[in-house]
Structures are given as C-alpha cells and as structure tokens.
C-alpha cells in the first residue's frame, strides 16, 4: 500500500524547506513492506573469521575524538541462580587488571590521554548485554590503536583472580547499595509486576544479589567469562574523526583471534546462542500496589503489554510515528486537565499525566499511561486518565491537534537534518550498538528525515486517534501503584491523605491509595459507559496568538521614532581563538573581531557572537544583578529566604508569563524550534536562558519582549493556585521523607553555621504563600531592561536584519522607571545585599541518624576556602592574580579527586566513587573582599566503615601535605591533559561561549577592565600561564595553603537509625 499524501501535505511542509527538498522531483511511493536501510552510507561493516562483528564510520563531531565501543551480547539473563550479578562484576574487573594492564593501569592510561573515566561512564551491564565505552582523542599517533587494544583486553583478557575479585567486591556492593533507594525498589517491583512470579526477567536483575556479590568465587566468574565473552557474540563499534581504513585494518589485526587461541582462557569454537526470553501474557488486569516510606510522590502506571518489534520496514516506522503523534497530541490535553481541571468540572486529581510507548524491558514495547496523583486521589486520577482515553475512542482528535503534533515532529527532524554534519559520534555508536543487539535499523539522519517528509504529512487524524483503541484493558494489563507510607512517622502526609479520603466519603486506612484488581477493573469498565462530551476545538489559531498579543502591546512600547538609536562597537579579544567547525584553523587565533557589543535605546546591553558551530542553533543567555539575597525574612513560622522569592518562577509559570497561561503558550510553540525559560533567581543574580533555530529567532525575541511588557497577573483561578500550593507541599513533605534530602540539608546547615539561606520554607509558610507578592517579585526582575546583559551566540541573521529584529522587539521594551540610561556595572554589583555565610570557626563532627528502608551511609568532609588574592576595582593586576588562583584551585580539585578515587576505591575497595568539589558561589560579590567558600570530599559507603574512610581521607591529605605521597609530575600532567581535552571540546559549543562571555561581564576582572574583549583575553592569558607554570611543586604549595594542617573542618555522616525499616509490599 502506498502512503497517503493528502492535499494538506504541501502546506504542512511549507515551513520545513529542508525536509521538502528531500522529496521534491520525481516521486515514488513508499511500500509498507519496503525495508529501510540498516546503516548510514559510508559505514564499513563486516564479520571477522572468528565471528566478531565490526562497524566503522568516520564522523567529525566532536573534532579529533572517537567513540570506541565493545558490545557483548550477554548480560544478567544468562546467569544461574548462584551467579546472580557476576556479569556486572566481570565488567568491573576489566578496569582492574587484564593480561597487559596491571593494577588499574587502564584507568591511568585513560587519564593520561585526557579521556573521561568515572562511575557509570565507561561501561554498563544490562539484562541482555554488557557494553564498554571509550571516548578518546585521535589527534596523536597511536592513541586510537592503543584504545582499541584496551577494548581487546576487555573482550579477551580480563584477569579474574581471587585477589582481584576480593578488591572489587566492596566496590560492587556499594553500587548495589546505592541502587537500594525508593526509586530502585519501585523499579524492581514494577518489573516483577510486568513479568509475574518465576519469570526470568524479574529474577535476573543486572545489579545481582548481595550474597552472590559477597561470596561468589573467581572460578565461577572465569567460567562465565570464558563461555559468554565469545568473539561471535561481540561487536566493535568505532565512530569518530579518524582514518576509517586504518581503524578497520587495526580491528582486523587486533581482534581476529581464533577462539581456541585466546590465552589464558580459550573459548569454545562454537559460540553460545543468545536466549530471547519472552515476557508471559497475563489475563485481565494485574494490579501491583506498594508503599514506601522514602518515596517522594505517589505514582501510578497503567501498562498494556506487547512484544517489542524492531523497526525494519516502512510500516514499522509509520506505526512508531503514528504512536508518537498520538502521545504528543494527548500530552497537550493532559496539560490542560492538570492546570484547568476535568472537562466536566470538579477537583483536580493529579500533578502530572502522560502517555508513551515505552521499552521497560528489551522484550517489551508497552503502551503506557503514567500519573502523579495528588495524595489520596489515586482512584479519581486513574479514572480521569481512563476517561480521556475513552473520549479519544469515541470522538478522536481534532485535525488542528494532530497538525500541531505533526509540526512538532517535523521541526525535530528538520533540526536533525540541518545539523546532520554536527551529529555527535556517540549517537551513531549507540545506534550501531542497538542494531547489533536488538536488530533496530540505524539508517542515519538523512534517511530518517526523508522518511519523515514522506510519511508524517500522510498520517490522518483518524489514524492517530485509533491508537487509543490499542489501550486494550481486557488482557495483558498491569497497573502499578506506589505511594508514600501512611504512619505516625509521617504525620503530615498521613493527615493530608485522611483529609482527601474524607473528600471522597471513604474511611481512611493504610491502604487508602492502593485499590485492588477488582476495583481497578471495575473503574476501567465503568468509564466505558460514562456520558461525556467531545473535546472542545481551539478558540483561535495558536500560530497567530503570539503575534496578535505582541501587536496589542504597541501603545506600551517605546515609540518607533526612537528606535534606531542603538550604540554598537566592535569587540576584539587578542590571543583568543576563533571557534569554528572548519577543518583548518579551528583552534587558531583569529585577527577578526571577537564579536560586537550593542546598547539598545532602552539601555539593554547585548553581546553578539556569530559562530558556525551548529547550523540550527542560536542561544540567548541573560543576567542582571540582584537575587535571592534581597528577600531574607524573619518570623516564628518563617525565616530564611522568602517563600515567594524561592518559588516565584513556578508561580509565574502557573499564573501565566508572556501574557499567556502555560498550556496556551505551549500550543503556540508546537512546531517551532524555540525553547524559552523564564528568569530564575540565584543567590546574587537573576538569569535567563533560551534558544531557537535561526528560522524561529524572531519568535524567541517576541517571547522575550512579551516577558517584559506583559506582567504576570497577580491572580488566577482558585483551582490553579491551589495546585501550586499542593505541589509545593508535596515537594516539602517529600524532602522530609527522603534520607538523602535530609542529609544534604544537614550538610548545608553544618558548613554554613545554620545560615537561614539554607532553610527550606516550612509547611505553614507554604500554606501562607502570597501569589501577588510572588508575581511582583517576578515582574520586578523583568521590568528594567537597562539592568540586563544579554549574550547571543550561534548562527545569527545578517547584520542589518539582526539589528532590525533587536530594535523592534528588545529595543522597544520600556523601563518601568522611565529612564533609559544604562546602570553602571560597579554600582549594580556593590548594591547587592550580601548573605554573610561563614564556615564554622571550630571543627564540627556530626552523625545524622535517619530511618531508612535499606541501611546506607553517606559522608561529606568540608574544609574552609579563603582565596589569598583579592580583586580591586582599580587594580587589573590583582584581578589577574585572583583569576589565576581560581584556575589553579580547579586543577587542584581534579588532582585531589583522582588521588582519593585511587586510594579509597582502587586501593581500599570500599567506595564506588568519590567526588571532590569547591564552592565559592555564595561569597559576597563586592570588590576588595577575598572570595571564601568550602572544599568538599563526599562518598557513599557502608555505614560501619564511614569513620575508617574519613580517617583514610585525612591520612592521605596529610601524606600529600608532608610530601610522603606528594603529587607526581605524571599526576599533574594527566590532570592538565584532562583539563585541556575538556576545553577542546567545550569551545566547539555555543553554550560554552555564551556562558563564558556572560560570566566575564559579571566577573571582577570586568570591573577593573570594563571591556569584555580585554577580559576574555585576560582569561585566556591566565589559563595559558596556569598550564605553563603549574607543576607538582606548585600543586604541593597550593594544597598546603588551601588545606593547612592546622585547619578545621566539618564532617557529616549519615547513618541508619533504629535498625532497618521494612517496606510494605
């Protein structure tokens, strides 16, 4: 059958010229049974004599980098009962020792070449696969070959000795322990509900069993590795900026070993088959309910199980597109229901709702409906979702709803096609991995775009609406319901649920939110006989809504006669390279202008930087002085930062920004490549970030203008406002249930001497939330364009058109006080109210005992930071000294983290990961004051080992101080290489340039030298000086001054209280 091509197709593709060009000229129909290409053009693929499959593709994004994957076609599903978890352990052991690499030498090699390494970064084990991933540089001879050798070690030569295994057991146990949180337990129960008792999928979770991890022998692991790491069930995937013929040849040379010749663990000549375990069918409705005392929110999920089918033909692609259109169109309705309440009237039932086609297991592709019900409203929420599916079965979608969904999908395909040359290698590598493991075709961007241009316009509203009928509630239905535990230990949540129960005229009980199978089946059946009306059509054209709104503001804008008075100047930045995707000169210093700074007639400052980094991206970053520190309050039931200030962004979104409610604004933007975000407040500043395609840049500017000239209303419907309070109350109660959230708050309190800035709003304060005040705070942030600085980067329009757009939309925004004179930067900085947060003057050690379902330990060590350099407004030299010290501090943090990972994980084997970080963000911004903050070391561990690990950390810091285990030249070289490699990739992104330029406008160096080009040059010189001067001696000196031996510290450790709390199933 040929795909339907209605008359409306040309109109639908009119805004997507790139997609339309793919189907212009002589057309041929697409047959449903026609197979789609398996791989993109120019992909080299083959099978070695030993059966190993390879895929090689040259791709220049990111530049001088490659993604090298090893995919093994087995995971936890092939484990026996006494082996549960060993596939994951073997993955860990590969980084520990192999035939050619001893004592974590692979990790040291990756660090030395600047490749990333860390927890969950370089490998993962799933039900049906184990995948190793390397992201490596390619600009030095031999790096790719050596990295391929590392993959060969994983594939053939992982060393599995009792000594290696004993070192790694506790590391794996810590990862297992980290998974035992509320969401982890919920996920496990969800899989059990989908599969049923005795199914292989729910009995072979990849993380394994604690007793196996503790007691399995190395011999058992060796036998597993020898059997299942067979070349014929492996694939090597190489995608990157390299010589593809050379890489292909190296793969053949390195990996084409006969199975029997792999030493010391030879493989059988015949590879084991990959089992394809199906998920059993289930009759009727299966309901799996549970409570968990640590769960943040109630969750409900309705799954209609169906087998997963790989996408191989045009029919498969069309089916997936049709389902995607259905979910997108329904999401707009569900958002309206969330914010406006049921169509038939009545109370709101959920915080959020969505549908999707999901793959919870490799064997399934379910139609899913998920909900976040209000406390005590699980039944009504479930009924509301089912009612909307029934409404669609009866009445379907309006053509306008489907058209918006089609435009939204076409916009995404258009963006992918335009930026096809900038597609990252990682996405290709992941698709090739899926092709090898799951037989999902990976045709490439161009072919996908061509299919979208052919198929999407021809999918009718009736086809999209018919997806609702696939939600078959007569068989293979699994309903998962999970709620926080009602008990005397959570009185607020319990009282709230009791109140909701009273509204439903039912008796409160611990299982209040947990209906059974008969009740759920009855709800599903009763909905089919309910009387309901069709969904109302659009009252206006959403595509014209924004334009009409802006034109209605004409009288409020600055007179057109004054437009054109903008002041612009060319900005140069000596020594700073020009960002470019071009083959040559992408890191060379350019003689061209760095950018242009424009002051519009209303005082708004905009920096313009055109780049060729991405062909379909323009980023907007904005900032002004003044943030949360201005809204400190005191009171018996309040304190800290004003609740209205903390939640003003959320309130504004619910009340309506840009003159439109959230659901109406979303409709306006469907099909447009625009991503706006309203201003958000930090400690001392208010920031804004947004993005668009060049085609929709005018829409972005229109939104920014409306944000300023259309204030947020101070009132809305009672139901909408109550939803905000309910959401905030639910969030606040969740913070008190989650052990990690409680622990983080105790850490913040300890390191800040319990400063009110770290306090959360109380329940009473949330109940007293004043929406008018919240709206006033938000509107004040967006009332004075002369206080703002914007940075625009990306593929900007030509100069004349760009200036016309900026003057029309941004330059016409009036200032609330009537003055268009731009404020002085130093004056605005000095007017900011400081928080005056101080690190404790004496050492603090605190044990935080919390009730937990699973005993876990988290520990944080904090040390005070006080910069020795201090910027002065009249001294560029002092500003440069401070900038250099900041850069050196970040390098020291990297060195410390690497060393502590080596000691606590690789040598002692007691933690899964260690994080070291510095925080100077709350230091007062005033000039002449040295920055202060803290340096933290954090890790999760067995609670009984926390004190031992704290001592080990202190001992290692002391050894670094006294020189008995000082940083070596190799340590420093590896840290600097990692830093250099990271920046090489970052400077090829628009986001780095936009964020860095904006940061420099608000830096202390800019005050001393108020020219952003000169400040950028100073930043680049400081970085160059840091890389040239930093060595092991400097690292030792910086460590001793940063963390003096006589210094004090804060240690906070989380421990279980009162034994283990049992979750109810």
């Amino acid at each position: 059958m040929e795909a339907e091509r209605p008359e409306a197709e040309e109109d639908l593709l009119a805004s997507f010229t790139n997609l339309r060009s793919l189907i212009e000229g002589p057309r041929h129909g697409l047959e449903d049974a026609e197979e789609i290409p398996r791989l993109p053009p120019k992909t080299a693929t083959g099978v070695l004599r030993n059966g190993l499959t390879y895929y090689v593709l040259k791709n220049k994004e990111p530049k001088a980098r490659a993604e090298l994957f090893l995919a093994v076609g087995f995971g936890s599903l092939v484990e026996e009962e006494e082996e549960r978890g060993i596939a994951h352990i073997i993955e860990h052991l590969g980084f520990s020792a192999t035939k050619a690499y001893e004592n974590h030498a692979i990790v040291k090699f990756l660090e030395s070449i600047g490749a990333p390494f860390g927890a969950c970064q370089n490998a993962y084990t799933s039900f049906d696969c184990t995948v190793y991933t390397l992201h490596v540089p390619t600009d030095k001879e031999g790096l790719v070959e050596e990295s391929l050798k590392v993959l060969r070690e994983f594939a053939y030569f992982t060393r599995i000795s009792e000594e290696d295994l004993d070192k790694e057991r506790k590391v794996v146990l810590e990862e297992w322990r980290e998974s035992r949180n509320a969401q982890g337990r919920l996920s496990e129960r969800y899989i059990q509900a989908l599969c049923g008792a005795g199914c292989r999928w729910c009995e072979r979770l990849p993380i394994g069993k604690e007793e196996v991890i503790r007691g399995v022998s190395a011999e058992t692991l060796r036998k597993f590795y020898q059997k299942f790491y067979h070349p014929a069930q492996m694939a090597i995937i190489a995608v990157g900026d390299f010589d593809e013929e050379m890489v292909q040849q190296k793969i053949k040379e390195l990996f084409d070993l006969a199975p029997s010749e792999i030493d010391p663990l030879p493989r059988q000549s015949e590879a084991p088959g990959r089992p394809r375990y199906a998920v059993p069918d289930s009759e009727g409705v299966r309901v799996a309910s549970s409570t968990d005392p640590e769960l943040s929110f109630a969750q409900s999920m309705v799954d209609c199980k169906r087998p997963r089918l790989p996408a191989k033909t045009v029919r498969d692609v069309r089916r997936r597109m049709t389902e995607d259109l259905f979910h997108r169109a329904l999401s707009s309705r569900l958002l309206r229901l969330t914010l406006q309440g049921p169509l038939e009237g009545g109370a709101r039932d959920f915080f959020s709702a969505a549908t999707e086609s999901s793959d919870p297991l490799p064997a399934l592709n379910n139609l899913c409906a998920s909900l976040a019900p209000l406390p005590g409203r699980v039944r009504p929420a479930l009924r509301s979702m089912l009612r909307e599916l029934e409404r669609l079965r009866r009445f379907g979608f309006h053509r306008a709803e489907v058209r918006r969904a089609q435009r939204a999908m076409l916009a995404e395909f258009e963006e992918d096609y335009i930026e096809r040359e900038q597609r990252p290698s990682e996405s290709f590598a992941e698709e090739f991995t899926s092709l090898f493991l799951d037989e999902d075709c990976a045709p490439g961007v161009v072919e996908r775009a061509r299919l979208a241009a052919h198929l999407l316009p021809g999918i009718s509203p009736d086809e999209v609406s018919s997806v609702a009928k696939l939600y078959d509630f007569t068989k293979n239905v699994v309903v998962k319901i999970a709620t926080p535990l009602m008990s005397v230990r959570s009185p607020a949540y319990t009282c709230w649920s009791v109140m909701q129960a009273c509204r439903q005229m039912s008796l409160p009980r611990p299982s209040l939110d947990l209906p059974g199978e008969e009740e759920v089946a009855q709800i599903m059946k009763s909905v089919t006989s309910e009387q309901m009306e069709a969904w109302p059509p659009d009252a206006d054209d959403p595509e014209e809504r924004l334009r009409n709104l802006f034109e209605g503001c004409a009288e409020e804008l600055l007179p057109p006669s004054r437009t054109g008075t903008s002041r612009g100047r060319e900005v140069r930045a000596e020594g700073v390279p020009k960002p470019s995707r071009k083959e040559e000169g992408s890191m060379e210093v350019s003689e061209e202008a760095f950018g242009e700074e424009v002051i519009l007639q209303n005082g708004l400052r905009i920096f313009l930087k055109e780049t060729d980094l991405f062909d379909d991206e323009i980023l907007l970053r904005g900032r002004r002085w003044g943030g949360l520190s201005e809204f400190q309050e005191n009171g018996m039931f309040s304190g800290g930062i004003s609740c209205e200030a903390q939640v003003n962004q959320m309130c504004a979104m619910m009340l309506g920004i840009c003159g439109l409610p959230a659901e109406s604004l979303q409709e306006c933007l469907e099909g447009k490549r625009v991503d706006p975000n309203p201003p958000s407040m930090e400690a001392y500043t208010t920031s804004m970030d947004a993005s668009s395609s060049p085609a929709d840049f005018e829409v972005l500017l229109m939104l920014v203008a409306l944000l300023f000239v259309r204030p947020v209303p101070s009132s809305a419907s009672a139901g909408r406002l109550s939803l905000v309070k309910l959401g905030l109350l639910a969030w606040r109660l969740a913070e008190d249930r989650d052990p990690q959230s409680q622990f983080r708050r105790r850490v913040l309190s300890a390191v800040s001497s319990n400063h009110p800035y770290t306090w959360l709003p109380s329940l009473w304060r949330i109940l007293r939330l004043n929406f008018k005040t919240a709206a006033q705070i938000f509107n004040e942030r967006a009332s004075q364009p002369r206080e703002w600085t914007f940075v625009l980067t990306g593929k900007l329009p030509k100069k004349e058109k760009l200036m016309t757009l900026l003057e029309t939309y941004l330059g016409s925004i009036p200032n609330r006080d009537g003055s268009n004179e731009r404020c002085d930067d130093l004056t605005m900085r000095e007017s900011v109210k400081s928080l005056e947060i101080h690190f404790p003057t004496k050492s603090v050690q605190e044990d935080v005992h919390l009730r937990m379902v699973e005993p876990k330990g988290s520990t944080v060590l904090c040390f005070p930071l006080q910069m020795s350099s201090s910027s002065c407004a009249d001294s560029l030299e002092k500003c440069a000294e401070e900038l250099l010290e900041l850069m050196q501090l970040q390098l020291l943090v990297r060195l410390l983290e690497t060393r502590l990972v080596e000691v606590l994980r690789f040598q002692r084997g007691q933690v899964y990961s260690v994080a070291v970080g510095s925080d100077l963000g709350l230091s007062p911004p005033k000039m002449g004051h040295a920055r202060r903050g803290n340096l933290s070391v954090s890790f999760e561990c067995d609670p009984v080992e926390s004190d031992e690990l704290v001592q080990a950390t202190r001992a290692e810091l002391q050894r670094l101080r006294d020189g008995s285990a000082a940083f070596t030249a190799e340590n420093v070289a590896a840290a600097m290489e990692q830093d250099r490699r990271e920046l090489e990739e970052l400077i090829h992104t628009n986001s780095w340039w936009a964020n860095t330029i904006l940061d420099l406008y608000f830096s202390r160096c800019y005050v001393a030298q108020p020219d952003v080009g000169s400040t950028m040059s100073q930043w680049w010189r400081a970085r160059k000086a840091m890389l040239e001067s930093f060595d092991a001696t400097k690292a030792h000196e910086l460590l001793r001054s940063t963390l003096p031996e006589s210094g004090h510290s804060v240690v906070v450790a989380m421990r279980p209280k009162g034994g283990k709390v049992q979750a109810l199933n």
Side-chain angles (χ1 to χ4, degrees):
M1 154 184 171
E2 186 174 329
E4 179 188 355
R5 308 181 70 85
E7 295 180 2
E9 172 187 347
E10 294 302 326
D11 181 47
L12 192 60
L13 290 176
S15 301
F16 307 103
T17 55
N18 290 280
L19 294 182
R20 187 170 57 183
S21 69
L22 294 175
I23 59 173
E24 287 178 344
R27 297 181 179 179
H28 67 279
L30 292 176
E31 297 294 329
D32 279 356
E34 182 179 336
E35 292 190 353
I36 60 176
R38 295 178 70 251
L39 290 164
K42 300 183 180 179
T43 304
T45 183
V47 179
L48 303 182
R49 289 173 298 178
N50 61 8
L52 184 140
T53 303
Y54 67 84
Y55 306 90
V56 179
L57 177 66
K58 182 178 179 64
N59 186 59
K60 294 184 177 181
E61 170 58 32
K63 188 174 177 61
R65 296 293 186 273
E67 299 292 337
L68 305 178
F69 285 20
L70 165 67
V72 182
F74 297 100
S76 60
L77 280 179
V78 296
E79 297 168 348
E80 298 301 329
E81 180 64 27
E82 67 278 6
E83 297 175 333
R84 290 177 62 175
I86 67 172
H88 178 228
I89 297 174
I90 290 171
E91 171 220 307
H92 273 250
L93 291 174
F95 293 92
S96 176
T98 66
K99 186 175 181 179
Y101 292 89
E102 296 276 346
N103 194 26
H104 297 95
I106 284 179
V107 177
K108 294 181 176 65
F109 163 71
L110 295 174
E111 292 171 346
S112 71
I113 65 173
F117 174 80
C120 303
Q121 276 191 318
N122 300 93
Y124 62 87
T125 301
S126 185
F127 287 99
D128 60 346
C129 66
T130 306
V131 180
Y132 301 83
T133 67
L134 301 179
H135 176 80
V136 299
T138 63
D139 55 356
K140 290 185 180 179
E141 187 175 352
L143 286 184
V144 173
E145 180 179 0
E146 191 64 30
S147 300
L148 286 171
K149 288 180 179 178
V150 169
L151 291 187
R152 183 179 65 170
E153 294 293 307
F154 295 148
Y156 300 155
F157 306 124
T158 294
R159 193 179 76 187
I160 306 174
S161 67
E162 290 293 348
E163 181 183 0
D164 297 326
L165 179 56
D166 287 340
K167 281 185 178 180
E168 203 66 21
R169 287 187 200 274
K170 285 188 176 181
V171 174
V172 179
L173 279 170
E174 284 313 309
E175 188 175 356
W176 174 86
R177 187 176 283 109
E178 287 182 19
S179 73
R180 305 301 296 169
N181 56 21
Q183 285 301 323
R185 292 188 292 271
L186 182 62
S187 176
E188 184 174 337
R189 295 171 196 147
Y190 173 53
I191 293 173
Q192 291 170 350
L194 285 174
C195 301
C199 180
R200 191 83 174 182
W201 293 95
C202 57
E203 293 182 351
R204 293 295 183 271
L205 298 177
I207 195 64
K209 295 178 68 176
E210 180 182 7
E211 54 267 33
V212 173
I213 298 171
R214 291 186 183 276
V216 70
S217 68
E219 179 60 24
T220 301
L221 269 70
R222 283 194 293 268
K223 289 180 179 178
F224 185 96
Y225 180 72
Q226 195 171 9
K227 178 179 180 180
F228 293 111
Y229 274 58
H230 194 285
Q233 295 291 7
M234 294 181 183
I236 294 294
I237 297 106
V239 185
D241 189 6
F242 48 48
D243 181 340
E244 63 270 40
E245 292 184 4
M246 179 275 293
V247 171
Q248 191 173 349
Q249 183 60 36
K250 289 300 178 184
I251 290 174
K252 294 176 180 179
E253 293 175 5
L254 294 171
F255 290 89
D256 200 7
L257 297 178
S260 60
E261 296 177 3
I262 298 174
D263 181 60
L265 295 174
R267 311 316 196 245
Q268 295 292 323
S269 57
E270 186 174 344
R274 291 188 71 203
R276 299 288 184 178
Y277 292 103
V279 175
D281 288 341
S282 54
E283 292 299 323
V285 179
R286 176 187 294 161
V287 175
S289 301
S290 61
T291 62
D292 195 301
E294 296 172 9
L295 191 63
S296 297
F297 298 94
Q299 302 176 30
S300 298
M301 190 175 296
V302 180
D303 269 294
C304 295
K305 294 192 300 183
R306 60 182 185 177
R308 183 179 183 277
L309 296 175
K312 295 183 177 181
T313 67
V314 170
R315 181 187 294 108
D316 299 329
V317 174
R318 185 186 179 94
R319 172 178 54 82
R320 290 190 176 185
M321 287 182 175
T322 303
E323 290 183 7
D324 197 349
L325 288 172
F326 173 85
H327 299 311
R328 289 169 185 263
L330 182 53
S331 70
S332 294
R333 289 191 177 187
L334 294 175
L335 179 61
R336 282 193 173 273
L337 289 175
T338 301
L339 300 177
Q340 298 180 2
L343 198 61
E344 292 78 12
R348 289 160 174 78
D349 300 314
F350 43 74
F351 290 120
S352 64
T355 61
E356 63 176 340
S357 300
S358 65
D359 301 330
L361 295 172
L364 292 176
N365 177 243
N366 295 347
L367 283 171
C368 174
S370 56
L371 297 159
L374 272 65
R377 304 287 293 174
V378 169
R379 289 172 177 80
L382 186 60
R383 182 180 293 275
S384 292
M385 172 60 83
L386 298 174
R387 186 184 296 118
E388 292 314 308
L389 291 172
E390 178 63 25
R391 195 189 311 275
L392 282 170
R393 291 191 190 98
R394 297 185 195 180
F395 305 108
F397 286 113
H398 296 291
R399 177 173 292 277
E401 294 178 284
V402 175
R403 181 184 174 86
R404 287 199 299 272
Q406 288 171 317
R407 287 180 57 81
M409 285 187 66
L410 287 168
E412 292 177 4
F413 282 108
E414 174 97 343
E415 179 181 10
D416 288 344
Y417 179 77
I418 292 172
E419 294 187 344
R420 60 194 180 278
E421 298 299 326
Q422 290 104 44
R423 193 178 187 208
S425 296
E426 184 179 18
S427 64
F428 284 106
E430 289 172 346
E431 288 187 359
F432 295 167
T433 302
S434 181
L435 171 64
F436 173 71
L437 295 171
D438 304 319
E439 301 179 354
D440 262 343
C441 290
V445 175
V446 176
E447 181 61 22
R448 280 202 180 91
R450 187 181 71 85
L451 287 168
H454 270 286
L455 297 176
L456 272 171
I459 299 176
S460 69
D462 287 343
E463 285 182 86
V464 178
S465 302
S466 67
V467 174
K469 298 177 182 178
L470 299 179
Y471 280 87
D472 181 1
F473 298 136
T474 61
K475 63 178 181 179
N476 282 324
V477 181
V478 176
V479 180
K480 182 73 181 77
I481 301 172
T483 68
L485 179 65
M486 289 177 58
S487 75
V488 294
R489 290 173 178 162
S490 54
Y493 178 81
T494 301
C495 291
W496 192 1
S497 296
V498 168
M499 178 186 70
Q500 294 290 346
C502 294
R503 291 182 64 186
Q504 299 174 60
M505 303 300 292
S506 59
L507 294 175
R509 57 192 188 278
S511 58
L512 172 72
D513 286 350
L514 310 181
E517 291 179 356
E518 291 186 8
E519 190 174 0
V520 170
Q522 179 58 36
I523 293 173
M524 291 178 169
K525 182 178 179 180
S526 65
V527 166
T528 61
S529 60
E530 285 187 19
Q531 290 187 349
M532 59 184 68
E533 58 188 37
W535 190 269
D538 293 338
D540 62 352
D541 183 359
E543 294 187 23
E544 296 297 323
R545 202 174 286 162
L546 281 178
R547 173 67 61 184
N548 293 338
L549 192 61
F550 181 77
E551 291 176 353
C553 301
E555 294 184 1
E556 303 172 42
L557 303 176
L558 294 180
S561 59
R562 296 180 57 188
T563 306
T565 59
S566 306
R567 306 189 307 275
R569 68 180 185 87
E570 187 178 83
V571 175
R572 293 191 171 273
E574 182 181 349
V576 177
K578 177 185 178 181
S580 176
R581 292 284 176 194
K582 295 179 181 177
E583 183 71 26
E584 301 295 333
S586 62
M587 281 292 289
E588 293 181 0
V589 175
S590 172
E591 296 299 324
E592 300 176 17
F594 179 64
E596 183 174 1
E597 182 182 89
V598 176
I599 309 293
L600 299 180
Q601 63 161 340
N602 55 6
L604 174 62
R605 178 170 61 192
I606 307 177
F607 186 87
L608 307 173
K609 185 166 184 62
E610 185 175 5
T611 73
D612 65 359
L613 299 178
F614 290 93
D615 291 335
D616 199 53
E617 180 180 75
I618 296 176
L619 299 186
L620 183 151
R621 299 290 186 266
R623 191 178 299 166
R624 53 149 283 177
W625 284 109
L628 292 171
S629 67
E630 299 177 21
F631 300 95
Q632 302 177 57
E633 63 181 15
N634 297 297
M636 181 178 297
F637 297 102
S638 60
I641 301 300
S642 156
C643 181
E644 287 77 10
Q646 291 187 58
V647 303
N648 78 91
Q649 184 190 43
M650 178 183 177
C651 292
M653 289 292 291
M654 296 295 286
L655 293 168
I657 62 171
C658 302
L660 293 170
E663 63 273 23
S664 180
L665 181 60
Q666 176 180 283
E667 290 176 352
C668 295
L669 299 181
E670 286 178 341
K672 302 186 186 301
R673 300 192 296 282
V674 178
D675 184 17
N677 289 293
S680 60
M681 296 171 66
E682 297 86 37
Y684 299 118
T685 58
T686 302
S687 299
M688 179 194 311
D689 67 88
S691 63
S692 77
S693 66
D696 294 315
F697 180 55
E698 184 174 1
V699 177
L700 174 61
L701 297 181
M702 193 184 303
L703 285 170
V704 175
L706 287 170
L707 181 72
F708 279 80
V709 299
R710 276 284 176 257
V712 172
S714 58
S715 63
S717 68
R720 188 180 290 256
L721 298 184
S722 67
L723 186 65
V724 177
K725 287 190 177 182
L726 288 174
L728 290 171
L729 288 169
W731 159 75
R732 185 63 183 83
L733 291 169
E735 288 287 310
D736 287 341
R737 285 193 299 270
D738 179 36
Q740 286 292 342
S741 297
Q742 295 179 63
F743 175 66
R744 284 193 297 269
R745 283 155 48 197
R746 295 289 284 273
V747 172
L748 288 173
S749 176
V751 299
S752 67
S753 302
N754 196 30
H755 193 280
Y757 179 78
T758 65
W759 299 355
L760 294 179
S762 65
L763 296 176
W764 176 250
R765 189 62 184 82
I766 292 173
L767 289 171
R768 295 176 55 244
L769 177 65
N770 188 312
F771 288 96
K772 182 177 181 180
T773 301
Q776 288 175 345
I777 292 172
F778 184 90
N779 291 333
E780 192 276 332
R781 305 290 102 181
S783 64
Q784 298 279 86
R786 66 193 184 96
E787 296 176 353
W788 281 84
T789 296
F790 285 176
V791 176
L792 286 169
T793 60
K795 198 171 183 64
L796 302 176
K798 296 297 183 183
K799 176 68 178 298
E800 184 177 350
K801 180 180 179 181
L802 175 60
M803 291 308 302
T804 299
L805 290 171
L806 294 179
E807 291 168 346
T808 300
Y809 292 105
L810 304 187
S812 62
I813 302 170
N815 286 284
R816 181 188 58 184
D817 61 6
S819 171
N820 293 326
E821 188 67 26
R822 178 157 185 87
C823 300
D824 176 69
D825 288 278
L826 179 59
T827 301
M828 288 190 289
R829 171 189 284 271
E830 294 295 317
S831 66
V832 171
K833 184 177 181 180
S834 298
L835 288 170
E836 300 301 334
I837 297 177
H838 298 279
F839 199 87
T841 56
K842 296 181 179 179
S843 291
V844 174
Q845 183 154 354
E846 180 180 356
D847 286 342
V848 182
H849 293 274
L850 300 171
R851 292 193 177 277
M852 308 177 198
V853 174
E854 301 279 353
K856 297 174 64 175
S858 289
T859 304
V860 176
L861 295 81
C862 289
F863 306 90
L865 280 181
Q866 179 78 39
M867 304 292 292
S868 59
S869 305
S870 178
S871 296
C872 296
D874 57 355
S875 175
L876 182 59
E877 182 179 354
K878 287 189 175 295
C879 292
E881 289 176 0
E882 183 187 52
L883 182 59
L884 179 60
E885 186 179 356
L886 285 169
M887 292 181 174
Q888 291 174 338
L889 175 63
Q890 293 310 306
L891 207 54
L892 175 64
V893 166
R894 187 186 294 272
L895 281 165
L896 283 172
E897 181 168 288
T898 301
R899 173 60 64 89
L900 291 176
V901 167
E902 180 180 347
V903 172
L904 301 185
R905 176 175 177 173
F906 297 151
Q907 294 179 13
R908 302 178 66 91
Q910 292 175 283
V911 302
Y912 179 50
S913 63
V914 182
V916 179
S918 61
D919 183 7
L920 299 167
L922 298 180
S923 184
K926 289 182 171 56
M927 301 296 291
H929 296 268
R931 296 175 191 259
R932 61 177 184 266
N934 65 78
L935 184 146
S936 63
V937 178
S938 58
F939 49 82
E940 295 193 354
C941 62
D942 187 329
V944 301
E945 295 181 347
S946 175
D947 293 339
E948 178 185 345
L949 289 168
V950 168
Q951 292 304 315
T953 301
R954 290 188 184 279
E956 189 61 26
L957 292 176
Q958 182 57 33
R959 293 174 68 208
L960 287 168
R961 289 190 199 96
D962 63 26
S964 59
F967 295 122
T968 65
E970 291 76 15
N971 296 151
V972 174
M976 294 172 69
E977 183 71 0
Q978 288 176 309
D979 186 83
R980 185 174 70 84
R981 293 295 188 179
E982 285 182 8
L983 185 64
E984 281 179 354
E985 294 189 35
L986 287 171
I987 65 171
H988 287 94
T989 63
N990 286 319
S991 59
W992 186 86
W993 288 101
N995 294 334
T996 300
I997 293 168
L998 189 61
D999 287 342
L1000 291 176
Y1001 268 115
F1002 288 77
S1003 69
R1004 301 187 180 197
C1005 287
Y1006 184 80
V1007 175
Q1009 185 177 236
D1011 177 87
V1012 75
S1014 300
T1015 308
M1016 185 81 239
S1017 297
Q1018 179 61 51
W1019 188 94
W1020 210 263
R1021 286 194 300 271
R1023 176 174 170 77
K1024 183 179 180 181
M1026 183 267 292
L1027 294 175
E1028 291 176 349
S1029 63
F1030 199 84
D1031 55 19
T1033 301
K1034 182 62 181 177
H1036 184 238
E1037 293 174 355
L1038 185 60
L1039 174 72
R1040 289 178 62 86
S1041 62
T1042 303
L1043 302 176
E1045 188 172 346
S1046 59
H1048 52 286
S1049 63
V1050 168
V1051 179
V1052 186
M1054 181 177 74
R1055 305 178 191 275
K1057 177 181 181 181
K1060 186 173 179 178
V1061 178
Q1062 294 294 329
L1064 302 180
N1065 295 312

